[in-house]
Amino acid sequence: MAGLAESGSNPDVELLYDINGLAKDAPHWFDRVMEFVGEYGLLFAIVLLVLWCWWSVRRRGGEDAASNVAALVWAPLAAGVAVLVNVPIRGFVERPRPFKSHDGLEVLVAGKDDFSFVSDHATLCMALAVALFVANRKFGLLAIVLAVFGGFIRVYMGVHYPTDVVGGFALGTAVALLLSPLAMALLTPLTRAVERSPRVGWLVSARGRGDAAGRDAVVPGARKESAETGQRDLAA
């Protein structure tokens, strides 16, 4: 893989120069914004989406609250597992950062001395986004769009080849999807136990399982009164 970076005629390298060339033509303040968004902003935004989805799930409550929260708990865990899986991959491939092999790149972030393939940022963001998509299509789709944009910014910043980003997307997606059934099997009983707890049950459901039955009766004791009325009618 490292040898692919040596040839300037490589489509991966050509696309790198095309995308990174946008940074050269952009104003300095815009590059600083892209630097912040690419390093921290988009990842933070995806984490906020996961928290927003959790808040919506726990407020809604219901019988499926525990399984939904379990799916959301899997999102950060999937991201962590994906990054751990990437450690031996990066050590095996040993692909240098693009600015170490090619001149004339506009590098927006200094101090990137580790290997380039696979992109940790792309892996992390896509694992979070895909796991969130499994839990909630609306929030997950928005997170995937943000993750893809984040991958573009990593190339724009001159710290990754396009194939580094694509590899990160593939790795994050694979971990989030392939391990999801096992994760749900392990996490759902845990979230159900938390839901039953009087102290921390609010983390799973703000309403509780007993609220659904309570909402059906407009006035306390109405069901009992209706039953008694029916019995009197039959006696008459």
Side-chain angles (χ1 to χ4, degrees):
M1 180 64 72
L4 294 177
E6 299 300 328
S7 174
S9 61
N10 188 298
D12 193 26
V13 177
E14 293 178 357
L15 188 57
L16 165 69
Y17 274 105
D18 288 340
I19 296 176
N20 180 254
L22 299 174
K24 292 184 178 181
D25 300 330
H28 178 75
W29 65 266
F30 184 79
D31 283 347
R32 298 286 74 80
V33 170
M34 294 289 276
E35 175 189 347
F36 175 81
V37 171
E39 282 287 289
Y40 312 105
L42 288 176
L43 179 58
F44 183 67
I46 295 174
V47 171
L48 284 182
L49 283 176
V50 174
L51 293 175
W52 186 5
C53 187
W54 162 75
W55 185 261
S56 299
V57 166
R58 65 169 292 276
R59 286 188 63 187
R60 184 172 63 249
E63 294 182 357
D64 59 346
S67 59
N68 288 337
V69 171
L72 293 172
V73 172
W74 168 234
L77 293 178
V81 171
V83 170
L84 289 177
V85 172
N86 190 31
V87 172
I89 294 177
R90 298 184 79 164
F92 176 76
V93 177
E94 294 185 344
R95 188 184 201 184
R97 294 280 182 171
F99 54 81
K100 292 187 175 182
S101 302
H102 304 282
D103 298 327
L105 292 175
E106 185 75 11
V107 183
L108 302 186
V109 180
K112 299 290 184 181
D113 296 324
D114 54 344
F115 294 122
S116 183
F117 186 91
V118 176
S119 168
D120 275 338
H121 271 77
T123 300
L124 192 65
C125 289
M126 189 55 73
L128 274 170
V130 171
L132 179 57
F133 182 79
V134 172
N136 185 285
R137 299 294 186 268
K138 180 178 67 175
F139 285 96
L141 185 60
L142 179 56
I144 290 174
V145 171
L146 293 178
V148 171
F149 181 55
F152 172 84
I153 295 180
R154 301 304 291 177
V155 181
Y156 178 94
M157 293 165 60
V159 295
H160 280 295
Y161 295 97
T163 49
D164 297 339
V165 171
V166 173
F169 289 163
L171 177 58
T173 300
V175 169
L177 291 182
L178 295 180
L179 297 183
S180 179
L182 176 60
M184 291 298 295
L186 296 175
L187 292 173
T188 301
L190 177 60
T191 54
R192 284 176 179 164
V194 172
E195 184 182 20
R196 291 191 296 267
S197 171
R199 291 188 177 182
V200 293
W202 61 271
L203 290 171
V204 177
S205 176
R207 296 181 181 274
R209 291 188 175 182
D211 287 355
R215 287 194 299 270
D216 292 337
V218 179
V219 178
R223 291 184 176 181
K224 182 177 179 181
E225 291 175 4
S226 299
E228 291 175 350
T229 301
Q231 290 176 358
R232 287 197 298 268
D233 292 340
L234 291 175

